Amino acid sequence: MKRRILTVCLLPALLLTACGGQNREPENLPDAKPSAPGEEAAEPPDETPEPEPAKPEEKEPLSLEDVLTDIYTVAPGTAGSSLRATYAAGELLDWIDVNSVEQEDVFRWIDENVPMENSAELARAWAAVLTEAEALMRGDETAYDALDDAGYTLEQPYRSTGWVKWAAWKLLPLFTQILDRTERTEYRYEAPGDYSAVTEEALAGIWVDDAGTTVLLFSEDGCRIVYPELELLGETAYAFRVRDRSSVGYCPELDIDYLQNDFSAPLVYYVSGIDDTHFWSDTQNKCFRRLA
């Protein structure tokens, strides 16, 4: 009887041991199951850091020579001149914002790079650049579209037209070099010409007076006045008109609206006659010679 009880007690213990042996997890399991035949093993994710995006290339700082050369090479009237003028205007506004310049340096560059026969070409190019610069500073969308087409981006696109006047003052020799290269002569009386020939269209071009004090640049944009004694720097193209006064026996009157924008106080020239080379005023003892 005791032997049977012992056998009965040992039997459950053996059964439990056997069950425990079946449920024990195997030691040292592999990290991943082997791939099935024909199935590729999964690759671990690539943990290589992505390269940082390249930084935009910084612009080379512009020199005075760079700015003046780009202005001079605008060459108004030739293919692509409008885009060149816009590009040069963008450069000018960024450059004048952070640089100072002495007018003597500008004169020196002109003497070394611009022959006398190209004086009018330089003045026309400078006038074209000032036109674009003024449009940019007014926020003109067409001017900014042209700047994009030219491939230039302004560092600080929003300023004021006062920057244009500042640039015109610092680079004033681009206009006044005409006065410096003009031979001064005294006015000589000339008989009145054909009054009907004095028209706004006939005035198109660049004119310098014999006294060497004033340059007038007439274009479809208006009239730029370079008259340093009156602090007129050519930075703005003003409206102008020719008034026919022949009905009362007077010569035509040239009005340049440089003050009030309503012709109430214009700069006035009484034009006695005009031809392809000059126009003159017997009343004011003045003669302007055409340069271009």
Side-chain angles (χ1 to χ4, degrees), residues 76-202:
T78 62
S81 61
S82 294
L83 288 181
R84 290 195 295 272
T86 304
Y87 190 97
E91 280 188 333
L92 169 70
L93 292 168
D94 279 339
W95 179 82
I96 204 71
D97 189 23
V98 295
N99 289 276
S100 60
V101 59
E102 297 297 330
Q103 291 184 353
E104 286 301 319
D105 294 330
V106 182
F107 276 122
R108 187 179 303 108
W109 181 89
I110 293 170
D111 289 340
E112 294 173 355
N113 295 277
V114 184
M116 187 172 295
E117 60 269 22
N118 288 354
S119 294
E121 179 184 342
L122 175 59
R124 289 176 63 224
W126 181 220
V129 171
L130 286 173
T131 295
E132 296 303 323
E134 191 170 25
L136 289 169
M137 291 299 89
R138 290 198 312 265
D140 186 287
E141 291 185 4
T142 302
Y144 274 93
D145 289 342
L147 194 63
D148 288 340
D149 292 340
Y152 192 88
T153 302
L154 279 174
E155 298 286 341
Q156 298 181 30
Y158 301 104
R159 299 185 183 89
S160 73
T161 53
W163 280 103
V164 180
K165 185 163 187 175
W166 176 244
W169 167 248
K170 300 304 287 186
L171 302 187
L172 183 60
L174 297 181
F175 280 146
T176 58
Q177 47 91 17
I178 291 177
L179 300 176
D180 295 332
R181 292 171 167 183
T182 296
E183 184 179 351
R184 273 76 169 163
T185 58
E186 293 184 5
Y187 179 75
R188 293 183 180 181
Y189 174 82
E190 192 168 348
D194 179 4
Y195 289 167
S196 66
V198 183
T199 64
E200 293 166 5
E201 292 74 20

Side-chain angles (χ1 to χ4, degrees), residues 20 37 47 56 61 64 126-127 142 185 210 216 262 265 267:
E47 297 181 357
L64 173 63
W126 181 220
T142 302
T185 58
D210 281 350
L216 301 177
D262 59 3
L267 180 62

Side-chain angles (χ1 to χ4, degrees), residues 243-287:
R243 293 177 57 202
D244 179 7
R245 305 188 302 163
S246 60
S247 61
V248 292
Y250 294 155
C251 68
E253 178 181 312
L254 168 59
D255 297 335
I256 306 172
D257 189 23
Y258 79 107
L259 277 181
Q260 303 296 335
N261 296 322
D262 59 3
F263 287 99
S264 61
L267 180 62
V268 176
Y269 293 101
Y270 300 108
V271 184
S272 302
I274 190 171
D275 61 20
D276 291 339
T277 63
H278 68 299
F279 73 82
W280 65 97
S281 170
D282 290 330
T283 305
Q284 296 164 297
N285 294 332
K286 272 192 170 295
C287 179

